[in-house]
Amino acid sequence: IERKALLLMYLPNHVKTKVPVFLHFNFQGNQTVSSDPDIIPSQYSDRPRGNQASRWPVEKIIDAGYGLATIHYFDLFTDSKDRYAESILALFGHPSEGDIPADGGQAIAAWAWGYSRVMDYLETDWQVDASKIILMGHSRLGKTSLWVGATDPRFAIVISNESGCGGAALSRRQVGETVNRINHAFPHWFCKNFRRYNKKEGELPIDQHELLALIAPRPLYVASAEEDRWSDPKGEFLSTAYAGEVYKLYGMKGLETTTMPTVNMPIMNRVAYHNRTGVHDVTDFDWENYIKFADKWLK
């Protein structure tokens, strides 16, 4: 058996050297990133062309000298508890949930594996500077990007956009989406062992700041949205602040504060954070700051 994933990549023509690239998977199919008629639609998507273009300021990214690479996340695991057989987990002898051990990864691990396989490809592309790949994920893919950042040190910068429970937010706070809620709504995302802590967050031996700390010493950016209560902005901020203690061991600056910053005022050290106005989404404000952060650490 085999699985295929379709990679869409934009590279700037005006840059004459190898370029840094933002790698960010999409939710609705490659064709939804832009109204560009030349994009080949993703295999598991019939969504209209340009349907999510507001989340993908392609020209802004290109003009800043960066490439953009994306895959429809369904190519790796169709986001459903009944679709294991179609996922890449079937390649590893796990065609159903029952075949996965209690400590075995599920959908988030599958998407993470996919991010690393794209990195394998980018390392072979003569137009790409594979030492300057910026890993980004939004929402459930923000959870994924943090896991990839912790487990695959090849990524130069890691960005989590509103990743919430199981991502950047502290589970023990039990604000917004909780461990119990997420495991019931999305039983296919995390390993089965995580269910032991449903309504027992206080018994967790770790919390999400320790996941963030595993990305050190590489630059880390965590972002929240003021109206995205489900993702617990304060929990995301505190987790990011606590992770900074490990960056200090490397002589680098974390957020240097445990006081939530003013809305739309990013803190941009080796560890960065912002809480913007608005809802759960990816906006131009987010991208403008991710580009500034990449400029700061890669140029």
Side-chain angles (χ1 to χ4, degrees):
I1 54 173
E2 60 181 31
R3 296 286 181 272
K4 74 173 182 181
L6 194 62
L7 177 70
L8 169 65
M9 189 153 71
Y10 284 98
L11 296 173
N13 287 330
H14 66 283
V15 180
K16 301 306 177 192
T17 56
K18 290 187 172 197
V19 295
V21 172
F22 281 93
L23 172 59
H24 177 30
F25 286 1
N26 66 78
F27 287 105
Q28 295 191 4
N30 291 354
Q31 75 279 7
T32 67
V33 167
S34 164
S35 52
D36 180 349
D38 292 327
I39 297 174
I40 300 166
S42 291
Q43 56 195 335
Y44 299 114
S45 170
D46 56 5
R47 298 295 185 104
R49 205 171 283 277
N51 196 46
Q52 291 212 307
S54 67
R55 290 184 170 184
W56 299 86
V58 177
E59 289 186 10
K60 187 172 289 188
I61 295 164
I62 293 295
D63 288 347
Y66 294 90
L68 174 66
T70 188
I71 277 177
H72 183 210
Y73 79 137
F74 275 22
D75 286 359
L76 300 153
F77 193 120
T78 305
D79 196 356
S80 164
K81 62 180 172 44
D82 304 315
R83 308 287 284 273
Y84 287 85
E86 296 160 38
S87 80
I88 59 100
L89 294 182
L91 302 177
F92 299 96
H94 303 321
S96 71
E97 186 191 20
D99 300 308
I100 296 173
D103 62 351
Q106 300 203 73
I108 285 174
W111 300 323
W113 183 88
Y115 269 116
S116 289
R117 300 294 70 74
V118 176
M119 182 57 145
D120 292 346
Y121 165 72
L122 293 174
E123 287 182 323
T124 70
D125 192 314
W126 63 273
Q127 302 165 99
V128 170
D129 185 343
S131 71
K132 294 181 177 179
I133 306 302
I134 306 122
L135 175 68
M136 178 181 163
H138 169 61
S139 197
R140 61 202 64 181
L141 294 176
K143 307 179 203 304
T144 306
S145 69
L146 292 171
W147 182 240
V148 181
T151 56
D152 190 337
R154 293 177 294 173
F155 291 97
I157 291 176
V158 179
I159 300 170
S160 148
N161 194 83
E162 295 149 44
S163 56
C165 182
L170 294 168
S171 297
R172 290 177 190 156
R173 275 172 52 81
Q174 300 174 54
V175 172
E177 190 168 31
T178 62
V179 172
N180 183 57
R181 282 168 163 168
I182 206 168
N183 281 331
H184 276 96
F186 306 104
H188 57 290
W189 282 4
F190 301 99
C191 74
K192 297 174 192 175
N193 279 343
F194 195 35
R195 298 170 196 171
R196 293 181 192 169
Y197 301 98
N198 289 352
K199 298 185 178 179
K200 295 179 181 175
E201 283 91 344
E203 296 178 18
L204 277 165
I206 52 104
D207 212 336
Q208 297 309 106
H209 62 299
E210 290 166 283
L211 172 65
L212 302 186
L214 289 171
I215 294 163
R218 288 165 293 147
L220 167 69
Y221 200 134
V222 173
S224 309
E226 188 180 28
E227 293 173 53
D228 184 15
R229 306 277 185 223
W230 199 237
S231 292
D232 184 19
K234 187 169 185 185
E236 292 188 311
F237 165 72
L238 288 172
S239 182
T240 311
Y242 299 151
E245 293 301 311
V246 173
Y247 281 79
K248 283 183 191 170
L249 299 176
Y250 289 95
M252 294 167 177
K253 284 180 75 172
L255 297 185
E256 308 288 300
T257 179
T258 51
T259 303
M260 192 89 170
T262 306
V263 177
N264 295 333
M265 294 293 289
I267 299 171
M268 212 174 282
N269 299 325
R270 188 73 172 189
V271 179
Y273 176 84
H274 73 240
N275 184 28
R276 64 158 170 78
T277 48
V279 298
H280 189 72
D281 200 359
V282 187
T283 68
D284 278 11
F285 178 86
D286 296 318
W287 274 109
E288 284 158 12
N289 284 290
Y290 300 153
I291 289 168
K292 279 181 197 166
F293 189 63
D295 285 349
K296 176 170 179 159
W297 295 110
L298 297 183
K299 289 190 175 176

